[in-house]
Amino acid sequence: MKGIERLRTAEDLGLIRVNEPLWLHSRWRIGGVADLFIEPLRADQVARACARAEEEGVALVIVGNGSNLLFSDAGLRGAVLKIGRKFSHYTVKGNIITAQAGAWVPALARAAANRGLSGLEHAAGIPGTLGGLIYMNGGSLRHSIGETVRRVWAMDRFGNVKVMHNAECAFSYRRSIFQDTDLVILQAELLCRPDDPSRIRRQTLEILEERKRKFPLKLPNCGSVFSNHPELYDSFGPPGKVIQDLGLKGLTVGGVQVSQKHANFIVNLGGGKAADVFKLVSLIRAATFKRTGLYLECEVRYVDERGRLGPLHTFLDEAN
Ligand SMILES: Cc1cc2nc3c(=O)[nH]c(=O)nc-3n(C[C@H](O)[C@H](O)[C@H](O)COP(=O)(O)OP(=O)(O)OC[C@H]3O[C@@H](n4cnc5c(N)ncnc54)[C@H](O)[C@@H]3O)c2cc1C
């Protein structure tokens, strides 16, 4: 029996599906078929899935809401471990929110706002899970979730859980220690500040309105494709402005396009492929380099057929 088959038939891992279309799990609506899809309901099932995958030598890719992930057109020869809706319980005590990694970030921001807790306003419109947000140290308006995280419960691939304090998470701009490990984030404690609920709600609404105005929310996308580059920013501005100034808005490859609304977004017009995104990213990076002498780096992450995962631009050489 092959490793993937033994993993499929292992007992009590949660919900299991075979030959799962990955496009269902990426906000870009792109991706081939994964051999196996596992959705645990409890931490012991996460531990079992990790340990069995390790024993069987099966690639195991952790996925939250897939709002920052591009999957290969060839799918995944391995398994997806989804930490999502089934893992989204949270509690609020005083100014501390303790949430499972699959908690929906906008729901946490709303819960905080309703209780007069400040600190998550900037994350109100980010369509991801808490685990994904912590992994990416995501945020907006010069804030990131790392500012609010007090502790993180993370599991290694042998099922051991460790509690990591903020300093151990090594948060910096769109970076965290989790990107350099294969830990599974299970839960986190967020430390908010009490503030006037009406101020928090007003600010949250303003942020959401602004996002609606600026971002192409009607077509499938994975948010900002490129991350801010300090040197580029100082001389030329943020990636979206640089790409717009190059006249690349609307540039289309196959089924994907540089958004007409915001040039740092690539939208799927329908039928887009990962290969199209790769070509478009290459074109944008080449044009930016020609103009500025600097290469843009991707915030979005790519998962290849073997389950390797990293910033999309780090796979470009292999794709070309
Ligand atoms: C319309 C739109 C707007 C966006 N706006 C913003 C924004 O303003 N700011 C911003 O920072 N981002 C933004 N994003 C990008 C994205 O929403 C964030 O990066 C988000 O935090 C990703 O969460 P996710 O659950 O979707 O993670 P996924 O995309 O599923 O995964 C992202 C990475 O996290 C890892 N991961 C996920 N869960 C876990 C876990 N439990 N344990 C270990 N690793 C895990 C995955 O392996 C992957 O490497 C936007 C995306 C969209 C589509």
Side-chain angles (χ1 to χ4, degrees):
M1 212 191 319
K2 274 168 59 184
I4 199 82
E5 190 53 24
R6 282 193 291 267
L7 186 59
R8 184 183 74 77
T9 51
E11 258 177 54
D12 200 15
L13 302 181
L15 307 174
I16 293 221
R17 293 202 286 272
V18 287
N19 297 331
E20 177 77 352
L22 286 170
W23 62 265
L24 290 172
H25 303 284
S26 162
R27 298 284 292 216
W28 246 325
R29 295 288 175 254
I30 290 174
V33 169
D35 293 336
L36 204 61
F37 175 87
I38 305 171
E39 189 163 14
L41 315 173
R42 304 185 310 267
D44 61 294
Q45 293 175 329
V46 178
R48 217 166 289 128
C50 288
R52 291 306 290 259
E54 199 67 31
E55 274 164 35
E56 303 295 348
V58 170
L60 188 69
V61 175
I62 318 301
V63 172
N65 189 47
S67 63
N68 204 42
L69 280 179
L70 179 69
F71 292 112
S72 163
D73 295 322
L76 172 66
R77 303 292 68 78
V80 160
L81 187 77
K82 167 103 177 175
I83 306 286
R85 213 174 297 164
K86 303 282 189 301
F87 225 86
S88 59
H89 181 72
Y90 65 85
T91 57
V92 187
K93 279 203 185 111
N95 51 346
I96 293 179
I97 301 178
T98 306
Q100 287 187 304
W104 181 237
V105 169
L108 292 177
R110 204 175 320 119
N114 289 341
R115 289 166 177 80
L117 295 175
S118 175
L120 294 181
E121 297 88 321
H122 68 94
I126 300 181
T129 63
L130 181 60
L133 194 67
I134 291 175
Y135 181 98
M136 292 305 302
N137 192 22
S140 73
L141 303 170
R142 295 170 193 269
H143 290 286
S144 48
I145 191 68
E147 296 159 27
T148 315
V149 169
R150 190 155 85 156
R151 294 190 291 175
V152 174
W153 281 253
M155 183 182 276
D156 68 20
R157 296 296 171 104
F158 301 98
N160 308 304
V161 177
K162 55 178 179 174
V163 184
M164 298 167 70
H165 289 265
N166 183 293
E168 295 169 83
C169 300
F171 290 118
S172 61
Y173 173 70
R174 297 295 175 266
R175 294 275 303 155
S176 76
I177 191 83
F178 303 103
Q179 295 171 16
D180 304 320
T181 64
D182 55 9
L183 294 168
V184 184
I185 300 166
L186 294 179
Q187 179 178 295
E189 212 174 60
L190 308 175
L191 181 63
C192 300
R193 295 177 309 278
D195 203 337
D196 173 17
S198 55
R199 188 212 55 81
I200 301 172
R201 264 192 237 115
R202 196 173 53 246
Q203 193 186 352
T204 304
L205 280 179
E206 280 168 16
I207 291 172
L208 292 175
E209 281 303 316
E210 178 77 352
R211 293 174 70 93
K212 235 190 259 170
R213 200 174 55 74
K214 280 181 17 194
F215 297 163
L217 300 178
K218 290 193 177 136
L219 288 168
N221 70 78
C222 263
S224 297
V225 173
F226 299 102
S227 49
N228 264 323
H229 182 309
E231 245 182 284
L232 187 84
Y233 191 95
D234 288 345
S235 309
F236 302 94
K241 179 178 182 308
V242 176
I243 300 166
Q244 178 173 333
D245 290 348
L246 284 163
L248 298 180
K249 266 188 169 176
L251 182 65
T252 305
V253 173
V256 305
Q257 182 178 66
V258 176
S259 165
Q260 302 275 8
K261 208 166 174 186
H262 192 306
N264 197 15
F265 283 57
I266 290 179
V267 293
N268 183 357
L269 300 171
K273 300 274 176 224
D276 300 337
V277 176
F278 267 83
K279 278 190 206 126
L280 196 49
V281 164
S282 287
L283 289 173
I284 295 168
R285 287 183 93 227
T288 312
F289 182 75
K290 205 167 159 199
R291 169 74 60 90
T292 68
L294 296 165
Y295 276 117
L296 285 171
E297 298 199 338
C298 291
E299 186 169 318
V300 290
R301 302 175 76 79
Y302 178 65
V303 183
D304 79 358
E305 193 187 0
R306 290 156 53 195
R308 293 180 308 157
L309 196 158
L312 193 154
H313 67 273
T314 61
F315 289 85
L316 279 172
D317 288 343
E318 291 176 34
N320 290 327

